[in-house]
Amino acid sequence: MDLADLSLDINTLAEAYQRSAFTPRDIVRTVYARVRAAADNPVWINLRNEVDALRHAEDLHARAAQDGAAQLPLYGIPFAVKDNIDVAGVPTTAACAEFSYVPEATATVVQRLERAGAIYIGKTNLDQFATGLTGTRSPYGVCHNAFDTRYIAGGSSSGSALAVAFGQVSFALGTDTAGSGRVPAAFNNIVGLKPTRGVLSTLGVVPACRSLDCISVFALTAVDAQVVFNIAQAADPADVFSRAQGVQQRKSLAAFRFGVPRRDQWEFFGDTHSTLIFEQSIERLCALGGTPVDIDFAPFRAVGDLLYDGPWVAERHAALKDFLTLHAPALHPVTRTVLSGVDRYSAVDAFEGLYRLRRLEQETRAAWREMDALLVPTAGTIFSIEQVLADPLALNAKLGHYTNFVNLLDLCALALPAGFRADGLPFGITLIAPPLHDTWLCALGAAYHQRLGGTLGATRFALPPAPAAVPAIAPDEVPLAVVGAHLSGLPLNRQLTERGARLLRRCRTAPNYTLYALPNTQPPKPGLVFTDNTSGHAIDVEVWAVPLLAFGSFVAEVPSPLAIGTVTLDDATQVKGFLCEGYAVRSAENISRFGGWRKYLASKNI
């Protein structure tokens, strides 16, 4: 295969690496060639030196040859970072040269991705200080749409979305406070995941509204977005807004209810192109097994109004107050206008705004009792660059009609392609769910995207087939992750098969574990221990479905220091599984570098 004919979606790249069809160095060269080919669009603020990136790719290849690529779930995957997220030694500008600083530390999420083998390519353009949904408020250039240069790319994460849409990188990080991780996805035919607030650390992010900010993920597919999300998520003790990792919630994909705003509440700002595609999106979700439910969108919309017509504007000012005091003339004129209204809000206004938010939040609960997800257009319409430059504030507000409420209500959201309008521009929808439903949203989004089909971003590459489905677990079964002597073909596997257990799948844990070879055990056994985020590994496991009636007798046979606890898998789901008490591994050999018990046994010829 010619590299020019290679899609950079994660699944395609991973398969190519497994066949040794290419090396990370080959992919890096391809990335920079594609960047040069689209140099007329100001996607990048700071592009990594190509020689440095090639050297990194070679080091990564050597590391994989020594330790195995299995320890690097994002091996050789190129990615971009919005330029309000820190990368050590690289200036962070937030699209304001006078604000620029060179951080000593890399943002937590970027660190996790690089440790997983992803290759950082550079920093991308944005609406200055992440204030705006248009992509037009940057002194580094106005980003234009990937399909029509007359139209906006969306913002504020415009450069990140375009880097993905053009196939320059496999995924990119953005940020999302009011829709910045969703609107650019819709306008450029890609996927944008706005995770549950606090699940991805925002340490190392220039704040917009610090209590609402999220790092978002732009990808070519919903499957890719989930892969990145699974690796990036982790509680971060250094981030005061980090969320303790709760269990990702799942609902049925065979029968689900999706809310749709009452038709009299639809707002497309006179755009009939978008109305038609939204109606088709409802039909697609119904074909997947969804049942549409009319909901009252008014309280959601009222929450959205609070973001810019309430005291949360003061929180934007709080993040930049020192810089604004000394360097206000350095701001883009529209950004300065947005931030200048802070003086009209008092501490009393802040509390009253919070009380109003709580009242509206309570009103939205009635809708959530009737639906599993909320379907809305990502944006009701799209505007030309000329239109936005002529009326920047009013048109920006229209772009936030269906996005501004999400972070205030602590919801997660997934922006998806929905097809192309008669004028050739993309249209997108957003699926929204309660907190900690990110994984379920990605699964639903992947099913929707498969039904839609089409091409990836602005590339010519077709949407790849869906990965094989994970076998379902029955209500009278318990999923159990085994890591050692209970694996298929090993001495204790009979304790599962004799109880009628069945193998569901082979996969890996989340990269938060250490595996030890326990001394003086017969048959030989490993010990799996949960560890901190900086030194953890992903470990091979098998997940078995154990009949509920036999589960108790199985657990009774588990000897100390082993125990059955809760294990997080690489897709963020949690199952029962073998863990080991800490005291037993103090003098045990750390065998995590092998990636699993079988590979360790093979190294010892056992």
Side-chain angles (χ1 to χ4, degrees):
M1 180 189 291
D2 190 311
L3 282 167
D5 296 323
L6 183 69
S7 169
L8 294 190
D9 67 274
I10 294 174
N11 187 58
T12 298
L13 266 189
E15 288 182 354
Y17 284 139
Q18 288 171 2
R19 300 193 313 270
S20 299
F22 307 106
T23 68
R25 181 184 176 86
D26 298 324
I27 298 305
V28 168
R29 286 194 179 280
T30 300
V31 165
Y32 280 84
R34 293 182 182 181
V35 169
R36 287 189 287 271
D40 60 329
N41 205 333
V43 173
W44 302 89
I45 288 179
N46 191 311
L47 191 66
R48 186 178 188 178
N49 179 275
E50 185 173 358
V51 173
D52 180 52
L54 288 167
R55 188 179 301 113
H56 180 187
E58 290 169 353
D59 292 344
L60 190 67
H61 185 57
R63 177 182 163 195
Q66 178 178 341
D67 299 334
Q71 288 301 317
L72 301 167
L74 290 177
Y75 171 69
I77 304 298
F79 76 107
V81 176
K82 184 177 180 179
D83 197 19
N84 61 343
I85 303 173
D86 288 346
V87 174
V90 179
T92 297
T93 71
C96 180
E98 292 82 354
F99 176 80
S100 178
Y101 63 92
V102 179
E104 295 182 0
T106 296
T108 300
V109 165
V110 179
Q111 288 183 43
R112 291 183 62 79
L113 297 169
E114 288 193 300
R115 282 200 301 271
I119 300 175
Y120 160 76
I121 298 298
K123 306 286 280 303
T124 55
N125 203 354
L126 66 149
D127 281 315
Q128 191 176 73
F129 293 115
T131 301
L133 294 172
T134 66
T136 63
R137 304 174 182 177
S138 171
Y140 293 93
V142 172
C143 288
H144 56 72
N145 190 276
F147 293 86
D148 190 327
T149 59
R150 298 171 299 172
Y151 284 83
I152 61 173
S156 63
S157 309
S158 47
S160 288
L162 287 170
V164 174
F166 286 136
Q168 296 174 352
V169 292
S170 301
F171 72 91
L173 298 182
T175 60
D176 189 307
T177 305
S180 298
R182 291 162 276 158
V183 171
F187 290 169
N188 296 283
N189 194 42
I190 61 171
V191 172
L193 174 62
K194 200 295 298 180
T196 298
R197 219 169 54 201
V199 170
L200 300 191
S201 170
T202 54
L203 189 70
V205 176
V206 177
C209 286
R210 196 174 176 201
S211 65
L212 303 179
D213 294 341
C214 299
I215 285 184
S216 61
V217 178
F218 293 101
L220 293 165
T221 70
V223 172
D224 284 3
Q226 183 175 339
V227 168
V228 175
F229 170 79
N230 292 344
I231 293 167
Q233 66 165 330
D236 185 354
D239 176 10
V240 297
F241 287 97
S242 178
R243 196 183 206 119
Q245 298 300 291
V247 177
Q248 280 286 319
Q249 302 298 310
R250 288 183 177 269
K251 299 177 184 291
S252 172
L253 290 179
F256 59 93
R257 304 162 303 164
F258 64 97
V260 182
R262 291 198 321 256
R263 197 174 185 94
D264 64 312
Q265 296 176 326
W266 288 13
E267 181 57 84
F268 292 95
F269 308 101
D271 188 336
T272 55
H273 295 308
S274 298
T275 306
L276 176 62
I277 302 181
F278 186 62
E279 290 171 339
Q280 294 169 347
S281 301
I282 296 172
E283 294 172 3
R284 276 190 208 98
L285 282 174
C286 290
L288 288 173
T291 300
V293 179
D294 285 345
I295 62 107
D296 181 9
F297 190 65
F300 294 92
R301 185 72 196 100
V303 169
D305 290 340
L306 291 174
L307 192 62
Y308 284 101
D309 294 329
W312 276 269
V313 174
E315 188 176 12
R316 285 188 178 270
H317 188 275
L320 299 167
K321 61 182 185 300
D322 294 336
F323 178 78
L324 294 175
T325 300
L326 297 174
H327 303 286
L331 266 65
H332 186 282
V334 180
T335 308
R336 186 164 59 245
T337 299
V338 171
L339 297 177
S340 65
V342 65
D343 293 340
R344 69 181 185 270
Y345 295 110
S346 67
V348 172
D349 293 325
F351 279 104
E352 288 182 343
L354 183 61
Y355 301 154
R356 175 158 172 73
L357 173 60
R358 292 292 175 259
R359 287 194 297 271
L360 290 168
E361 182 180 25
Q362 192 169 39
E363 290 181 34
T364 66
R365 289 177 193 153
W368 286 113
R369 287 192 288 270
E370 303 296 324
M371 62 183 179
D372 301 309
L374 172 61
L375 169 70
V376 295
T378 302
T381 188
I382 187 171
F383 301 109
S384 70
I385 293 172
E386 182 180 3
Q387 286 174 308
V388 169
L389 294 179
D391 193 2
L393 296 180
L395 298 193
N396 190 90
K398 290 179 179 180
L399 295 178
H401 185 87
Y402 293 108
T403 62
N404 287 350
F405 64 88
V406 172
N407 288 22
L408 283 163
L409 290 175
D410 192 20
L411 305 172
C412 56
L414 182 70
L416 294 161
F420 287 84
R421 301 151 32 119
D423 60 4
L425 290 168
F427 176 78
I429 60 167
T430 296
L431 294 170
I432 301 168
L436 298 175
H437 284 72
D438 315 76
T439 295
W440 178 76
L441 268 189
C442 287
L444 178 58
Y448 176 92
H449 204 180
Q450 284 293 319
R451 182 163 288 273
L452 173 70
T455 52
L456 300 174
T459 74
R460 66 181 185 279
F461 304 116
L463 176 72
V470 175
I473 189 82
D476 60 349
E477 293 178 317
V478 178
L480 177 74
V482 301
V483 70
H486 288 87
L487 293 167
S488 300
L490 296 188
L492 298 183
N493 183 251
R494 59 178 175 76
Q495 293 181 355
L496 292 169
T497 57
E498 289 172 353
R499 290 173 167 83
R502 60 191 179 93
L503 177 62
L504 288 176
R505 56 174 167 150
R506 295 179 174 89
C507 58
R508 299 172 69 77
T509 68
N512 303 108
Y513 293 89
T514 304
L515 190 68
Y516 296 90
L518 299 178
N520 305 317
T521 54
Q522 288 298 328
K525 300 181 184 71
L528 185 70
V529 178
F530 181 83
T531 191
D532 64 79
N533 300 320
T534 59
S535 59
H537 294 75
I539 304 298
D540 292 337
V541 295
E542 291 180 351
V543 180
W544 287 73
V546 183
L548 183 60
L549 293 178
F551 188 70
S553 65
F554 176 82
V555 172
E557 292 189 10
V558 175
S560 177
L562 301 179
I564 301 298
T566 300
V567 173
T568 302
L569 303 178
D570 58 1
D571 65 356
T573 58
Q574 294 185 316
V575 297
K576 295 304 174 187
F578 277 86
L579 293 171
C580 184
E581 297 183 57
Y583 76 87
V585 301
R586 289 171 188 159
S587 59
E589 180 188 1
N590 184 336
I591 59 171
S592 303
R593 65 187 183 279
F594 293 99
W597 184 239
R598 288 188 192 279
K599 294 170 186 172
Y600 168 74
L601 294 180
S603 75
K604 299 292 185 182
N605 294 317
I606 298 176

